[in-house]
Amino acid sequence: MAGDTEAVKADCYGDEVREHIERFAAAGYDAIPDDEREAWFSRFKFWGLFHQRSGQEGYFMMRLTNCGGVLEPGQLRAIGEVARDYAEGPAANPVFGNGFVDLTTRQSVQIHWLKLEDVPEIWEKLESVGVSSRSAGGDTMRNISGCPVAGKDADEYVETRPLLDEIQAEIRDDEALANLPRKFNISMTGCRQGCAQDSINDVALEPARKLVDGEERRGFNVRAGGGLGSREPRRARPLDVFVTPDRAVETVRAFVELYMEAGNRENRNRNRARFFVDEHGPEAVREMLVERLDFSPAHAGTDLRGEYTYNAGRPSERGDHDHVGVHDQDPDHSYVGLTVPIGRLTAGEAIELADLADAYGSGEVRLTRRQNPLIVDVPDEAVDDLLEEPLLETHRPEPETFTRGAMACTGTEFCSIALAETKTRMAAMVRWLNANVDLPDDVDQLKIHMSGCTADCGQAMTADIGMQGMRARKDGEMVEAMDVGVGGGVGAEPAFIEWVHQRVPADEVPGLVADLVAAFAALREEGQTFREWVEATGHESIIELAEPHETSYEDPCLYDAKQSWYPFSDAEGADAATDATAVSDD
């Protein structure tokens, strides 16, 4: 398998793939030879183009890149207009309709239901405002994560915005570094909240301080080998390296080059950077890294991890855990974080959000790792008027706790490897929880994440309550199901969930969650967060308190949605998007 993938990449990969995409787009989807499609689809991913799952032949998802979550003025509007004009499929989602934008857990954007023939026009529109899809997928460096308010937050400990842009321009855009053993995630945090979630990245730079030549310096400690997926999550491990900002970019490049040259290309199940660090150990990886540097890095300094609060399961008064709400930006401006509970905006909402960013701020929008957008540069005197805008009634800066904490990946709606539908299911579950489950008045955060499979794009492993898609039998029929775990979170002491029940039929999951939350509300000590309560209660007791059962909740697609070409259509199927006989709801 790995050998086949490496052979495909050796034949054609990276920037040269674009000319082939344009050639196939001009000739039509059917011009791709049947026996070569899987190879070409694999190569297409480098340019952010992912063929959707079986039954949706001819339709593609495009993932975009925007370093550190920054969407400059005009960019979100162009993305929304692409979704409006090109992202209409043959069937509508029952909640989100047709034509929508998905915000991802890596601060980027995805658009579905695109036709190959339209891709050149889409690129032209997006690239005219500086939006690219290059290096958004495949075995390469993915979207670079950073603090979403880097360069805006007056309390930022180390300035990172110029460094993030330099990593993008000098490393990620370098064609020589395009072909890695597997996908590779880079993060850099300069804030005290840890909102780039460095502990789950392949290489991570985190704020630190150290005495260098008798003078206190601000810089970064380097960690490596973090990640989720395949039920083998790893925390990024310290490499005992401290670098000043002027050495940060070359240090990142050296680690990328090390992984590119020495990473495992034989076994795709064991060739992520976390396994590379497993194999060699942090000390040996440090030695290999230092050999590549033109300077001798200092040993690790005093880090700021002890202050991290982002998705860390700590009390909210300790600091930001998601950037939702109204926040001070500087003495005269604020930024306003909206809630998009499962990261999905309709095309119209995306355009309206761009309009609000223009009207009330600088036009720039920032994206967080929790699938939420921020309107930045809002004059303090304009905040109240912004809060009265209709869009903020839907995507509220002060949402219900269940709404605020919900995240979900793509799921079987479009993903070929998912085992369960996620986004519409999570939307239904959140509505049910809001209507039927009470939380203590002082609990304003409870992170519930849903992933369609063990790849864990929804980051279930880092949630208070995490769910991963499975299958199970119920009453003699195959149904979609979830493995459910508790106790995850990042921050100063990253933890991954422990499973409490597995293969729970999807319609019994809300009952499990409701009982668990009720027990938390009844048994917690004053001020105790969910993660703290889980740790204090003990795993065996949690299992007893969280029993699956049916409720008034009705699941939107219980009966094995992947067997349908689209979970939300009763039609028999949809052929290639260019086929005049393709099924339509019109």
Side-chain angles (χ1 to χ4, degrees), residues 419-542:
L419 296 174
E421 200 281 331
T422 52
K423 286 192 179 289
T424 302
R425 173 171 285 127
M426 180 62 96
M429 187 180 302
V430 166
R431 286 195 300 270
W432 186 88
L433 292 170
N434 284 332
N436 293 280
V437 180
D438 294 325
L439 282 165
D441 291 340
D442 66 326
V443 175
D444 64 352
Q445 55 170 309
L446 183 64
K447 306 297 189 287
I448 303 179
H449 300 179
M450 184 181 290
S451 291
C453 70
T454 60
D456 204 25
C457 297
Q459 299 183 358
M461 298 296 294
T462 70
D464 289 316
I465 303 174
M467 310 166 193
Q468 290 185 349
M470 288 290 162
R471 303 289 177 85
R473 286 201 173 274
K474 180 174 180 174
D475 300 329
E477 294 188 78
M478 185 66 70
V479 297
E480 295 197 356
M482 294 284 162
D483 287 355
V484 183
V486 300
V490 295
E493 298 178 1
F496 302 119
I497 58 172
E498 290 189 73
W499 302 108
V500 293
H501 287 287
Q502 296 183 304
R503 299 187 182 277
V504 179
D507 63 337
E508 298 180 22
V509 172
L512 182 160
V513 174
D515 286 357
L516 187 58
V517 171
F520 163 62
L523 302 175
R524 68 190 283 260
E525 296 182 3
E526 184 177 354
Q528 201 171 36
T529 68
F530 186 84
R531 181 177 171 186
E532 291 169 342
W533 175 74
V534 167
E535 292 174 349
T537 301
H539 190 63
E540 295 303 319
S541 295
I542 293 291

Side-chain angles (χ1 to χ4, degrees), residues 204-328:
L205 273 64
E206 302 175 307
R209 61 181 181 272
K210 187 176 179 66
L211 283 176
V212 179
D213 298 327
E215 179 182 350
E216 183 175 325
R217 300 281 185 87
R218 296 187 181 195
F220 305 94
N221 284 342
V222 181
R223 293 178 181 251
L228 309 174
S230 304
R231 296 286 172 89
E232 295 189 86
R234 299 286 190 279
R235 304 172 185 86
R237 280 141 287 179
L239 297 185
D240 191 23
V241 169
F242 173 85
V243 294
T244 51
D246 60 313
R247 298 291 194 179
V249 175
E250 61 185 293
T251 302
V252 171
R253 184 181 186 95
F255 191 86
V256 173
E257 291 175 341
L258 172 62
Y259 174 65
M260 182 178 72
E261 296 173 15
N264 184 339
R265 292 182 183 268
E266 302 301 318
N267 183 351
R268 289 186 65 80
N269 292 323
R270 308 292 298 179
N271 65 356
R272 291 294 304 275
R274 64 183 184 270
F275 299 120
F276 177 74
V277 176
D278 284 353
E279 178 184 357
H280 297 282
E283 292 182 2
V285 172
R286 183 190 197 278
E287 292 179 5
M288 290 187 281
L289 176 64
V290 170
E291 287 178 1
R292 292 174 172 270
L293 297 172
D294 292 332
F295 67 99
S296 297
H299 291 278
T302 303
D303 62 43
L304 271 63
R305 290 182 63 84
E307 301 180 38
Y308 281 7
T309 55
Y310 192 88
N311 192 30
R314 292 186 169 189
S316 296
E317 59 267 21
R318 294 283 297 275
D320 295 337
H321 58 94
D322 60 9
H323 291 299
V324 170
V326 179
H327 300 263
D328 292 334

Side-chain angles (χ1 to χ4, degrees), residues 357-385:
D358 281 340
Y360 291 95
S362 61
E364 188 174 292
V365 174
R366 300 288 183 95
L367 305 178
T368 77
R369 292 206 66 172
R370 293 199 57 79
Q371 301 175 304
N372 292 319
L374 315 178
I375 299 175
V376 298
D377 304 318
V378 180
D380 290 338
E381 63 271 18
V383 169
D384 287 343
D385 288 340

